[in-house]
Amino acid sequence: VQLVESGGGMVQPGGSLRLSCEASGFNFDQYDMSWGRQSPGQRPTWISGINIGGGSTWYADSVKGRFTISRDNTENMLYLQMDNLRPSDTALYYCARGLGPLAGVPHDYRGQGTQVTVSF
């Protein structure tokens, strides 16, 4: 199983970024997927999940209304559109297999992450 994130970078408050996660080594279209993030000195935090078909999505309160998760099962890709970014969104963002805490079980695989920094 491999999950490789991309699309991070530095952006000013109020700006947008789109993160991508390329999945390989498993049947992507048979797994719910999630995005999480981790700030320095903090524990990893689940922020969004999507079901197998993409018809159901879930968000942490901290990102609801600003972030949009989506997937393309034909390309084995997971996405996170992040709008109206805030300095508090600064973190290492990673994609993970499964719904993690939303399902009551830990993620079994996660990627290395891509850094997002929101600052003037």
Side-chain angles (χ1 to χ4, degrees):
V1 173
Q2 238 188 340
L3 299 168
V4 180
E5 302 90 342
S6 61
M10 181 173 287
V11 64
Q12 293 189 355
S16 298
L17 282 174
R18 188 191 194 208
L19 306 184
S20 300
C21 171
E22 183 175 4
S24 61
F26 67 103
N27 294 322
F28 181 72
D29 59 0
Q30 295 181 16
Y31 287 87
D32 302 322
M33 296 292 295
S34 293
W35 284 98
R37 65 187 182 187
Q38 185 171 16
S39 301
Q42 302 293 320
R43 299 178 67 177
T45 302
W46 174 90
I47 58 170
S48 184
I50 188 167
N51 75 334
I52 291 172
S56 294
T57 57
W58 302 272
Y59 299 92
D61 287 344
S62 58
V63 306
K64 195 175 295 182
R66 301 186 298 121
F67 291 11
T68 304
I69 190 172
S70 62
R71 66 191 295 165
D72 184 342
N73 287 344
T74 65
E75 299 288 340
N76 290 352
M77 295 292 294
L78 181 71
Y79 302 102
L80 186 68
Q81 176 66 40
M82 306 188 296
D83 298 317
N84 193 19
L85 283 160
R86 306 166 179 169
S88 56
D89 294 317
T90 295
L92 182 72
Y93 284 73
Y94 59 88
C95 65
R97 196 169 77 170
L99 294 179
L102 201 63
V105 295
H107 295 294
D108 55 357
Y109 291 96
R110 55 169 277 187
Q112 294 293 317
T114 184
Q115 179 66 37
V116 172
T117 302
V118 185
S119 177
F120 285 108

